[in-house]
């Protein structure tokens, strides 16, 4: 049995909470910003419905064995307000977000040794609070070790892929390569089909090549072919495929610009690697948010 508090029940958070509800031994609490009562997860072969305990006031939370944070990166400081009541000496904090700075984002709020970074690959969409669609399989990767083994154990027996990896750095930078390219769709308000334009494809490759260069400086093992693979993947998929930065911009929400492109510029500067394409994307998207 594990006491689990999930902070941020959006697309990813509600999807994971629905799956975890299938394990009756888990005691699950949802820490939400917006109140709701039921989670309905639609998936290709059916649905999972659950009525979890939902709190909206950090004062009502109690210490948990695991805190799973699934807010957007830009809501990290607000999410951490829950830590005062749901984190105690034995709590582990799994940060399930995009980007490569999971630990840095939360170490101002909890000892870094208790933070487990999680890479998640899962196309999930939220229609309304608690109502989500899982559009494909769930893959999660965590660093190999005792906390990683315990995290994977939380999902034991469920129809999803959660595993430890000996090279977490490469796993998150590979994901960042894909995510960094998403900035172009967000800037143009155009879905993935835009990759069929030869000039745009070259811009996408340029953004990803900068990400590869900075990722290698951080120790990730990234092949040159990733840039072409990402363009090919966007061209092969549905022309109207969105990404979460595009969805956020369309919905008038903030975007994870810093976690997905700003980080490449910041770390590039540290290593003396030029990142003009990502800097351009950051400037355009920041201006679009004004
Ligand atoms: N969606 C995907 O397909 C996908 C795939 C892979 C990775 N990711 C990554 O996973 C992370 C989560 O993304 P998402 O798409 O699930 O985001 P999302 O749908 O926008 O959900 C974020 C949730 O966090 C809640 N929240 C914000 N501040 C909070 C606070 N202080 N306390 C409690 N809850 C709070 C929001 O509340 P409200 O209900 O009030 O908005 C919302 O429910 C991001 O880093 C994203 O890049 C997403």
């Amino acid at each position: 049995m594990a006491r689990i508090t999930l902070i941020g029940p959006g697309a990813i958070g509600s999807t994971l909470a629905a799956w975890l509800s299938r394990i009756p031994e888990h005691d699950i609490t949802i820490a939400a910003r917006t109140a709701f009562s039921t989670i309905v997860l639609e998936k290709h072969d059916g649905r999972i419905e659950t009525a979890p305990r939902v709190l909206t006031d950090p004062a009502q939370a109690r210490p948990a064995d695991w805190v799973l944070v699934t807010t957007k990166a830009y809501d990290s400081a607000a999410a951490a307000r829950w830590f005062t009541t749901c984190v105690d000496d034995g709590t582990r904090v799994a940060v399930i977000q995009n980007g490569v700075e999971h630990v840095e984002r939360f170490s101002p709020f909890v000892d870094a040794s208790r933070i487990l970074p999680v890479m998640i690959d899962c196309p999930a969409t939220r229609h309304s609070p608690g109502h989500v669609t899982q559009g494909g399989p769930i893959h999660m990767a965590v660093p190999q070790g005792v906390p990683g083994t315990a995290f994977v154990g939380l999902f034991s027996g469920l129809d999803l892929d959660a595993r430890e990896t000996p090279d977490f750095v490469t796993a998150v930078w590979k994901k960042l390569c894909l995510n960094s390219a998403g900035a172009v769709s967000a800037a143009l308000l155009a879905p993935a089909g835009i990759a069929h334009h030869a000039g745009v494809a070259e811009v996408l490759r340029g953004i990803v090549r900068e990400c590869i260069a900075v990722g290698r400086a951080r120790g990730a093992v990234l092949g040159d072919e990733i840039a072409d693979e990402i363009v090919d993947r966007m061209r092969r998929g549905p022309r109207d495929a969105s990404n979460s930065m595009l969805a956020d911009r369309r919905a008038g929400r903030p975007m994870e610009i810093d976690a997905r492109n700003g980080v490449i510029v910041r770390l590039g500067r540290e290593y003396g690697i030029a990142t003009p394409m990502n800097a351009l994307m950051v400037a355009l998207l920041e201006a679009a948010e004004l």
Side-chain angles (χ1 to χ4, degrees), residues 66 92 116 142-153 163-166:
W66 278 96
R92 288 198 169 113
L116 181 73
V142 291
Q144 219 164 37
V146 173
T149 306
F151 177 83
V152 168
R163 64 177 67 190
E164 295 171 75
T165 170

Side-chain angles (χ1 to χ4, degrees), residues 51-96:
R53 181 189 308 121
V54 179
L55 307 178
T56 53
D57 178 1
Q60 296 169 337
R62 296 286 170 268
D65 301 312
W66 278 96
V67 167
L68 313 185
V69 183
T70 54
T71 62
K72 287 274 171 49
Y74 50 74
D75 280 325
S76 296
R81 279 192 221 122
W82 288 90
F83 291 1
T84 50
T85 45
C86 65
V87 172
D88 72 5
D89 289 348
T91 308
R92 288 198 169 113
V93 177
V95 178
I96 309 173

Side-chain angles (χ1 to χ4, degrees), residues 106-147:
F106 284 91
S107 48
F109 312 107
V110 63
D111 194 279
S113 64
R114 292 208 267 133
I115 302 173
L116 181 73
V118 183
M119 193 284 296
I120 185 158
D121 197 358
C122 164
T125 307
R126 180 169 61 146
H127 310 291
S128 58
H131 183 200
V132 289
T133 297
Q134 180 188 327
I138 300 175
H139 300 286
M140 285 188 284
V142 291
Q144 219 164 37
V146 173

